[in-house]
Amino acid sequence: QKEVEQNSGPLSVPEGAIASLNCTYSDRGSQSFFWYRQYSGKSPELIMSIYSNGDKEDGRFTAQLNKASQYVSLLIRDSQPSDSATYLCAVNDAGGTSYGKLTFGQGTILTVHP
Amino acid sequence: DAGVTQSPTHLIKTRGQQVTLRCSPKSGHDTVSWYQQALGQGPQFIFQYYEEEERQRGNFPDRFSGHQFPNYSSELNVNALLLGDSALYLCASSLGAGGDYNEQFFGPGTRLTVL
C-alpha cells in the first residue's frame, strides 16, 4: 500500500511568518510530486510541482524535495490570511505503467491569523 | 482558455439509485482522471481514461464505471448507490503521453449526497 503522510494540523501562523508544510511518501521509486491548495468547499488547485532533488521557488512558495529521505515540503513566505486553506501533497506512482495516478495525503489545514 | 468543467454541481440521490457525472477536460488535454474525496480526506483515485479506454483503476468496486468520448470528455457512473458514496467527485485533466510528469488540473467537482 503506497502511502503519503502529512501532518493534519491545524497549523496556525501569524501573518507575515513562514509556514512550513511537510509530507513523506512510502514508494521510493516515485518520480513527481505536487502541492495542491484547497479552500473550504472548493476543488484542489495545483500550486507547485517538483521532480528533482533540491528547491524550486515560485513567488512566495518554495517546494523542497529529498528523494533519499522520501520527503517533500512546501514553504510559504510572508504568509497572508488568504493562504488559509488545506494543503494537499500528491505523489505520482512510479513505474512505466503508472501513467498519471496521484496518491494524496490527508491534507494539512493552515490558518494564517492577522 | 476553458478550464476543466463538471456537471452537475450538486446532486442528491437515494440509496440504490444510479448516477452519472460529466466532465470536460481543459483545452488541449486528452486524459481524464476521476477522484472521490470524502469530507476531511485527500482525494482517492477511481480511474483514468485515455484514448477512450480505462488505463488505470484504483480500489473501487465495479459499481463505479466510466466512459471517455472521442472529444475527450468523460462520464463517471455509479450504480446501486450506498450512503458511503456521498462525497465530492473530482475530475482532473492532463496530457496523456507525458508519463510520470503529468500535471493534473481539477474541475470544480460534483457534490453527491446519498440519502
Side-chain angles (χ1 to χ4, degrees):
Chain A
Q1 178 79 3
K2 298 173 183 176
E3 295 182 348
V4 177
E5 298 287 340
Q6 296 181 249
N7 293 329
S8 59
L11 174 65
S12 181
V13 301
E15 184 174 357
I18 296 175
S20 177
L21 304 162
N22 304 316
C23 174
T24 59
Y25 58 95
S26 63
D27 187 350
R28 183 170 292 276
S30 298
Q31 296 295 323
S32 50
F33 308 86
F34 307 91
W35 284 99
Y36 287 83
R37 177 177 62 198
Q38 187 172 27
Y39 292 114
S40 181
K42 302 296 185 181
S43 64
E45 174 192 9
L46 180 64
I47 55 173
M48 289 290 286
S49 307
I50 187 166
Y51 312 121
S52 303
N53 280 330
D55 296 357
K56 179 182 177 182
E57 187 174 319
D58 184 1
R60 295 186 296 111
F61 298 99
T62 299
Q64 299 174 316
L65 175 61
N66 184 325
K67 290 184 179 180
S69 300
Q70 296 174 241
Y71 176 91
V72 58
S73 66
L74 179 70
L75 300 178
I76 306 175
R77 291 182 301 281
D78 188 24
S79 295
Q80 301 297 310
S82 59
D83 294 325
S84 299
T86 297
Y87 288 80
L88 295 161
C89 173
V91 176
N92 196 328
D93 282 70
T97 60
S98 63
Y99 306 118
K101 173 187 173 182
L102 295 179
T103 300
F104 284 84
Q106 73 272 34
T108 298
I109 299 171
L110 172 66
T111 301
V112 181
H113 53 88
Chain B
D1 181 19
V4 183
T5 61
Q6 290 185 245
S7 64
T9 304
H10 296 88
L11 205 50
I12 299 175
K13 292 287 188 177
T14 57
R15 282 177 296 174
Q17 285 190 310
Q18 178 264 344
V19 67
T20 298
L21 311 181
R22 296 175 175 83
C23 170
S24 292
K26 185 177 178 179
S27 177
H29 283 181
D30 58 6
T31 299
V32 172
S33 303
W34 287 93
Y35 293 82
Q36 180 195 67
Q37 187 177 25
L39 202 61
Q41 301 296 317
Q44 297 291 315
F45 176 76
I46 302 175
F47 41 53
Q48 183 179 85
Y49 278 85
Y50 173 68
E51 292 187 340
E52 302 180 52
E53 291 191 359
E54 183 182 290
R55 185 160 70 169
Q56 192 176 15
R57 188 178 183 92
N59 293 324
F60 279 80
D62 292 344
R63 298 187 298 110
F64 290 77
S65 63
H67 188 77
Q68 186 178 35
F69 299 94
N71 67 352
Y72 307 123
S73 67
S74 177
E75 289 183 348
L76 164 65
N77 301 293
V78 187
N79 294 322
L81 285 167
L82 303 174
L83 295 179
D85 294 331
S86 295
L88 179 66
Y89 287 85
L90 296 162
C91 166
S93 81
S94 57
L95 278 171
D100 283 347
Y101 297 161
N102 284 346
E103 293 182 334
Q104 295 189 16
F105 298 88
F106 285 92
T110 295
R111 173 73 61 186
L112 173 64
T113 302
V114 182
L115 302 177

